[in-house]
Amino acid sequence: MRNNQARLNTGNVVPLFGLGTYSSSCDSETTQEAIHMALKMGYRHFDTAKIYGSEPALGKALTEAISDGVVDREDIFVTSKLWSSDHDDPVSALHQSLRNLKMEYVDLYLVHWPIRFKSWAEYPVPNEEDFEELDMESTWAGMEKCLELGLCKAIGVSNFSTKKLQHLLDFASVCPAVNQVEMHPMWRQNKMRKFCGEHKIHMSAYMPLGGPGNFWGSTSVIKDPIILSIAKKHKATPAQVALKWGIQRGTSVIVKSFNEGRMRENIGALDLKLDENDMINIEKLVERKILRGDHLINKTTSPYRTIEQLWDYEI
């Protein structure tokens, strides 16, 4: 790892600081403006997904920036994700994402959740009749085909437990490059970090601040007394402390804000250096997973009858 980048098991590098483009309220124009601002501030890693609806806006902004000479395509890292209704044909799904993005390839393509919906369920919260049986071997073969065709530079997963990752490794021809999961100072994923380290799988953190501002999020991370005291000690903000904690552990952090001041504050975390005592004190925080995935649980049609089954009791 150097210059705030990590090297994936593919040999490619991923910037450790990324901008998430999911928004339940922002229109395309607002998203594009945020992308242009982010590029000027030094952001080079952008995270999207079919289900976010932000692929066209991200693609338009990046295409304009590349055309204007602001940035070269090779200098940006773009992640998108296979939605749960597209497991039958990852290649076609990625082709559609690339059309949305107006790009020839993405740098990383992830299986969004370890769950499969019927083809019509192109929405975030499924109905009971939307669930299908997951055949991860077939899905992963499609992901490997995406890689073979040059539609992406790396493939990986999101929201996988260590047990689900091990199951994938048992049959995969290509080891996933990344597992993107919820991770922040109050959900540290130490078991997952150890497993991924052993298998050279990079970890990427969504909700690195606990998701404040989202209806499912929490401000508990950035309001915790330990985080506040570390921030005061370094003359930094609580958000910068939480983000630098992730980056300092070699994790890429995907932070979502389209507010110019917060975007500038967040990327300022790269200039912070936490000491050993800071890292030790953060380990003392009580852990609590915030995005539990309750919408994927039911007693009749989902493969997961309980939250514990979804996360294989790693919760």
Side-chain angles (χ1 to χ4, degrees), residues 50-163:
K50 172 185 175 176
I51 200 66
Y52 298 168
S54 60
E55 288 175 333
L58 175 61
K60 189 170 190 298
L62 291 179
T63 299
E64 289 173 355
I66 292 167
S67 176
D68 292 344
V70 174
V71 67
D72 293 329
R73 174 62 184 94
E74 296 74 22
D75 295 329
I76 55 176
F77 191 98
V78 177
T79 299
S80 194
K81 307 179 189 79
L82 176 79
W83 184 236
S84 302
S85 60
D86 293 326
H87 280 241
D88 284 346
D89 194 352
V91 171
S92 293
L94 182 48
H95 271 300
Q96 182 58 57
S97 286
L98 292 173
R99 284 192 290 272
N100 290 341
L101 288 161
K102 295 183 171 60
M103 291 182 172
E104 295 181 358
Y105 67 91
V106 291
D107 298 273
L108 177 63
Y109 196 46
L110 303 176
V111 178
H112 206 148
W113 283 91
I115 201 156
R116 180 178 165 212
F117 299 155
K118 291 185 170 66
S119 60
W120 62 70
E122 297 187 351
Y123 31 80
V125 181
N127 302 306
E128 282 202 15
E129 64 271 18
D130 293 336
F131 291 87
E132 289 266 33
E133 183 177 350
L134 175 63
D135 177 3
M136 197 58 208
E137 289 193 45
S138 175
T139 298
W140 195 248
M143 296 292 286
E144 290 179 348
K145 189 68 176 176
C146 291
L147 188 65
E148 181 185 328
L149 292 169
L151 305 177
C152 54
K153 301 290 187 183
I155 53 176
V157 296
S158 180
N159 297 301
F160 272 50
S161 65
T162 57
K163 183 177 178 180

Side-chain angles (χ1 to χ4, degrees), residues 4 15 17-19 30-46 62 65 70-71 75-76 240 243 255-271:
N4 298 308
F17 201 91
L19 183 72
T30 302
T31 302
Q32 290 175 56
E33 288 174 2
I35 303 303
H36 284 298
M37 280 194 299
L39 286 166
K40 289 176 184 175
M41 293 177 195
Y43 288 75
R44 292 296 181 265
H45 178 177
F46 298 92
L62 291 179
V70 174
V71 67
D75 295 329
I76 55 176
Q240 289 171 338
L243 294 171
V255 64
K256 160 63 186 74
S257 177
F258 289 173
N259 175 281
E260 182 175 1
R262 285 197 212 97
M263 289 167 66
R264 203 174 296 282
E265 172 194 340
N266 289 338
I267 200 168
L270 294 174
D271 299 323

